Amino acid sequence: MSTVVRSPGRPRWHRREDGVARLMLLPALLPYLAFALLPIGWLFWFSLQRWNGFSPPRFTGVANYQRMLGDGQWWLAVLNTLKFGFGRLVIEIPLALALAYAFFRGVRGGTVYRTILFLPHVLSPAIVGIIFVFLLRETGGPVNQLLTGWGLLDEPIRFLGEAGNALASLIGVGVWAHLGINLLLFFAGMMTIPNALLESAALEGAGHWQTLRHIVLPMLAPVTRVVVLISIIGTLRSFDLVKTLTDGGPAGSTEVMFTYLYRFFFEPESVPQIGYAAALGVTASVVVGLISVAYLRINRSGRTPA
């Protein structure tokens, strides 16, 4: 007669420790529940209602989402957000990586240059936008005065007054403001690369390009994934810089998701449409989440097994 050997369960003291650990995590979870999950649920509930912030809200189901599907200005704002994000990423990430590698290889005065490049990140995006409104204005702007004064231009450029120029200016200012933090993250990652690998590459006669391609970039892959993900989320959630620099103009050519939904929440010239703004906010969050998840999945599928 055969006997079945049962694997012993987890010891009681082990289960007790798990319970204590969960209780110790509770103080950290309560603020997350209060300031993250509950507001998200509240936003979704308001997105199902028609409410102007004054009269009692009226439940309308998915009417706000149906309205959103036919709102051409909203989808233009989504497209502008993607253009702005893509334009920033394709300039900002390679430039930050190239500068970080130059400083890593010992450019003279690298500490001073890194500090100068990081300083814009210390400023609030709203302050950066206000500064560049003054610098880039068509009449009396310092940039146009310098370019026309040096004879490089016959007439001032409408940096913020034409659709293509405004979006390009917005991308350029965004790169200037956030280049420094990405540069420092890349530089910090490079500093963890063992010197033995770099010395071996030098002895084998590898130049800067071979070292960057075959040693630095593979070793920097985890940092690169984090930097790109943070940049994607940051660009898709842009608001302050766009609001103060272009305010979505001209003619909505630089309107992004969060400046557009802001108009329905707080625009003083019209009655607030809190329910519709909440629906746009939920949709904008879903767009950011889907793009972030897609990026993570693409990176995960691209990894080679150890």
Side-chain angles (χ1 to χ4, degrees):
M1 181 176 179
S2 61
T3 59
V4 178
V5 179
R6 297 180 180 275
S7 58
R10 301 185 68 191
R12 184 178 297 176
W13 65 269
H14 221 172
R15 295 196 296 270
R16 189 183 303 117
E17 280 193 347
D18 288 348
V20 172
R22 292 189 181 95
L23 287 175
M24 294 179 69
L25 287 174
L26 191 59
L29 292 176
L30 287 177
Y32 178 74
L33 177 66
F35 299 108
L37 296 183
L38 286 180
I40 291 173
W42 203 7
L43 182 72
F44 179 72
W45 173 246
F46 277 130
S47 74
L48 303 176
Q49 309 201 35
R50 183 175 183 179
W51 186 40
N52 58 15
F54 304 102
S55 59
R58 182 166 60 88
F59 183 80
T60 57
V62 296
N64 287 321
Y65 292 96
Q66 291 175 338
R67 174 185 172 186
M68 178 200 66
L69 292 176
D71 188 348
Q73 289 298 318
W74 162 249
W75 295 111
L76 177 61
V78 174
L79 180 61
N80 288 337
T81 304
L82 297 178
K83 288 180 180 179
F84 174 62
F86 180 77
R88 261 191 57 185
L89 288 175
V90 298
I91 299 173
E92 187 175 308
I93 299 301
L95 183 58
L97 180 62
L99 290 173
Y101 184 66
F103 295 139
F104 177 65
R105 300 301 288 182
V107 171
R108 182 174 298 180
T111 302
V112 176
Y113 293 138
R114 288 197 303 273
T115 303
I116 294 173
L117 290 171
F118 179 74
L119 283 178
H121 186 72
V122 178
L123 299 174
S124 164
I127 299 299
V128 172
I130 293 171
I131 291 172
F132 275 90
V133 166
F134 167 73
L135 293 176
L136 299 178
R137 61 186 180 181
E138 182 179 0
T139 304
V143 174
N144 271 318
Q145 285 184 336
L146 286 174
L147 294 176
T148 54
W150 290 343
L152 300 177
L153 295 175
D154 295 329
E155 57 183 18
I157 297 177
R158 301 182 63 193
F159 287 106
L160 306 178
E162 294 182 359
N165 291 342
L167 184 58
S169 300
L170 189 61
I171 292 172
V173 174
V175 171
W176 178 84
H178 297 92
L179 177 67
I181 184 63
N182 292 332
L183 186 157
L184 288 184
L185 291 173
F186 280 132
F187 182 77
M190 291 177 187
M191 294 299 291
T192 64
I193 299 175
N195 286 328
L197 291 177
L198 301 174
E199 292 172 357
S200 298
L203 290 174
E204 292 292 332
H208 290 313
W209 170 246
Q210 288 82 5
T211 302
L212 175 65
R213 180 181 176 185
H214 298 291
I215 296 178
V216 175
L217 290 181
M219 296 290 292
L220 208 61
V223 175
T224 303
R225 282 192 288 269
V226 173
V227 170
V228 173
L229 179 61
I230 293 174
S231 298
I232 288 174
I233 296 173
T235 54
L236 295 179
R237 293 174 60 248
S238 294
F239 170 77
D240 310 45
L241 180 62
V242 181
K243 185 66 179 175
T244 54
L245 184 60
T246 64
D247 196 19
S253 60
T254 59
E255 191 85 79
V256 294
M257 292 188 296
F258 287 92
T259 58
Y260 185 74
L261 67 88
Y262 172 88
R263 301 187 188 283
F264 293 94
F265 266 121
F266 304 111
E267 197 67 49
E269 288 82 9
S270 60
V271 177
Q273 302 177 46
I274 306 297
Y276 186 54
L280 296 180
V282 171
T283 307
S285 301
V286 170
V287 170
V288 175
L290 288 177
I291 293 176
S292 301
V293 170
Y295 170 76
L296 291 174
R297 285 187 174 275
I298 290 171
N299 270 277
R300 187 175 300 171
S301 63
R303 294 182 191 176
T304 56

